[in-house]
Amino acid sequence: MIEGHGDDLFRFEGKVKINFSTNIPQTVNHDGLVEHLHCCGAVFSNYPEPEPRSVERHLASVYGLVPERVIVTNGATEAIYLLAHLFEGRKSAVVAPTFREYQDAARVFSHKVSFVGSVAEAGACEADVVWLCNPNNPTGRVFERSELLEVIDGCKDKFFIIDQAYALYSVKPVVALEDIDERENVVLLNSLTKQFVVPGLRIGYAVGHAALMESLRNLRMPWSVNSLAIEAAHYLLDHREKYHIDCRSLHEEAKRLREALKEMGLTAEPTDCNFMLASLPAGRACDLKEWLVEKHGILIRDASNFEGLGEGHFRIAAQSPEENDSLINALKEWMLL
C-alpha cells in the first residue's frame, strides 16, 4: 500500500501548514535528540549492527522483559510483513475497517484473507491468524481488554497479532505486556515512532513468545534498522521522561472536534484516543482533501481506501486547540459550497 498511506505531506510541496493526516501531535520539541545525533558522526561512517540487538536489550531492560522476547524492526510495518511471512499460506482474519497493511502483507505471502467486524467474530471464524489494531486505525476505538483476552484464551488454535502502536494515545486500557506473559498465541506490536513522535526514523518492535521472536529474527533482513535510528532509539529510551503524550487533553480536543463536525452535518464516530473517523453527507473525501490543502493549507487523511469504507470517509487527528479551530472553520466553509 505504498501510495495508500496517510500523511502524504511530500505530495504538496510546502503547501501544508497544519497536518491532520498524521495521527501524532506536531508540537514535540526534538532539540535534544537533534543535538545528540549531531554529535554522533560515527553513525554515518560505519555499518550498523546487522541486528539491532542493543536496542532489544535496552527495551527489555526498560519494560522488564527478557531480550529474547523482543524484536526491533524498521517501523512496526516490517514486523507486520515478517509475521505475514512466518505464517505464509495460512488463513487470516482482519478486524476491519483497519490499517490496510495487514491485508496487504498477508496477501503478499499468499494468505487467504477474510474480514470480520468484531473480536467475537474473529474468535468464531475459520482463521489461523487474527489481525487487529488497538486503538484501531482509522476509528480510534479501543477493544475491551477483558473481552479481547477472553477471546484469545478461548481460541488457543489461533494466533493474535495486536498492533498497539497508538496505545499511549488511548484513554482506555489496552492489552498490557503482563497480559501476554503466559499467552503464547499473542504478539504485541508497538512503535517508538508513535511514542516519541519520530515517524521519519522508523523504529518499531514486537513482543511475544521467545520461540516466535527467534523465528522472526531468522526472516529479518540484515541491517534493516539503520545506525541513526539505533542511536536515536537509545537516546529516546534514556530520556523517555521528557516525552509525554497528553492523551487526556488530546482526547478532549478530539471530542470537541467531533461535536463541531456533527453540528455542521457531518458524521463523526466516537473515539477513545486522539483521532477519529468522519464522513461527508455527500461528495468525496479526496475532493475535500485537495480543497483544504489548496485553500487553507490543511491536510486530512482520505480514508476511502480502508476496507469497508466509502468515498466520503476521512480521518482527522486532534492537534492544538487553535489548529483544530482552523479545521472547523474550513469545514464550515466547505459545507456552504
Side-chain angles (χ1 to χ4, degrees):
M1 190 177 109
I2 290 175
E3 298 300 329
H5 285 287
D7 197 13
D8 49 351
L9 196 66
F10 62 90
R11 289 184 51 228
F12 298 101
E13 299 179 357
K15 293 180 180 179
V16 175
K17 300 173 184 175
I18 311 174
N19 187 358
F20 290 91
S21 178
T22 179
N23 285 339
I24 55 181
Q26 301 294 292
T27 56
V28 174
N29 186 326
H30 284 307
D31 289 349
L33 174 62
V34 171
E35 182 179 353
H36 174 75
L37 294 177
H38 181 73
C39 298
C40 297
V43 301
F44 301 107
S45 55
N46 298 309
Y47 278 96
E49 304 167 60
E51 298 180 278
R53 293 297 184 104
S54 66
V55 183
E56 291 168 359
R57 291 191 296 270
H58 202 157
L59 278 164
S61 174
V62 167
Y63 294 113
L65 301 167
V66 294
E68 290 75 18
R69 293 189 61 207
V70 184
I71 180 172
V72 170
T73 53
N74 189 324
T77 299
E78 185 188 13
I80 291 167
Y81 278 81
L82 289 174
L83 285 159
H85 189 178
L86 182 65
F87 294 107
E88 186 169 7
R90 305 287 188 89
K91 294 178 181 178
S92 270
V94 179
V95 183
T98 195
F99 188 42
R100 276 192 60 100
E101 215 65 70
Y102 313 136
Q103 69 196 69
D104 290 349
R107 284 172 173 153
V108 164
F109 292 101
S110 305
H111 292 223
K112 183 178 180 180
V113 179
S114 60
F115 299 95
V116 295
S118 68
V119 171
E121 288 181 46
C125 73
E126 292 186 7
D128 306 303
V129 185
V130 175
W131 304 78
L132 58 94
C133 190
N134 192 42
N136 185 42
N137 177 14
T139 66
R141 301 309 301 271
V142 171
F143 297 99
E144 290 296 333
R145 177 173 165 272
S146 58
E147 178 189 356
L148 181 50
L149 293 176
E150 183 178 351
V151 171
I152 290 169
D153 289 340
C155 300
K156 297 293 179 60
D157 59 329
K158 290 182 173 64
F159 194 85
F160 290 80
I161 300 169
I162 306 175
D163 183 350
Q164 296 198 155
Y166 296 104
L168 291 177
Y169 295 81
S170 171
V171 295
K172 291 177 64 176
V174 297
V175 176
L177 290 173
E178 310 88 75
D179 292 329
I180 67 167
D181 280 347
E182 304 300 325
R183 292 177 167 96
E184 297 185 8
N185 63 329
V186 184
V187 63
L188 294 182
L189 306 184
N190 218 313
S191 170
L192 299 188
T193 291
K194 311 301 188 300
Q195 179 178 352
F196 297 111
V197 196
V198 286
L201 288 175
R202 313 306 306 136
I203 317 167
Y205 64 97
V207 178
H209 189 260
L212 177 80
M213 296 298 101
E214 185 59 29
S215 297
L216 291 183
R217 287 189 182 91
N218 291 335
L219 298 174
R220 182 173 53 187
M221 183 180 74
W223 300 304
S224 70
V225 182
N226 67 71
S227 295
L228 200 64
I230 290 172
E231 189 60 44
H234 287 302
Y235 174 89
L236 292 168
L237 289 169
D238 282 339
H239 296 82
R240 58 191 180 278
E241 73 283 350
K242 295 182 180 180
Y243 292 82
H244 171 65
I245 303 299
D246 190 351
C247 63
R248 296 286 172 185
S249 294
L250 287 169
H251 185 241
E252 286 302 314
E253 278 298 300
K255 289 196 297 182
R256 186 172 72 88
L257 268 176
R258 179 174 180 255
E259 289 305 312
L261 266 61
K262 288 168 62 181
E263 286 177 7
M264 66 181 82
L266 287 83
T267 300
E269 303 294 336
T271 179
D272 299 313
C273 62
N274 62 315
F275 58 87
M276 76 190 80
L277 181 65
S279 63
L280 297 167
R284 302 188 304 170
C286 61
D287 295 329
L288 171 62
K289 174 180 175 176
E290 296 294 330
W291 181 86
L292 284 170
V293 170
E294 295 298 330
K295 187 78 173 178
H296 294 281
I298 290 173
L299 182 63
I300 62 170
R301 168 67 153 98
D302 172 8
S304 59
N305 67 332
F306 285 90
E307 186 72 28
L309 299 185
E311 63 181 11
H313 283 96
F314 62 96
R315 189 196 68 205
I316 52 176
Q319 299 295 332
S320 72
E322 296 76 18
E323 289 170 330
N324 296 335
D325 287 341
S326 295
L327 175 62
I328 290 168
N329 292 330
L331 288 172
K332 286 179 179 177
E333 184 179 337
W334 166 270
M335 294 298 289
L336 293 174
L337 294 177

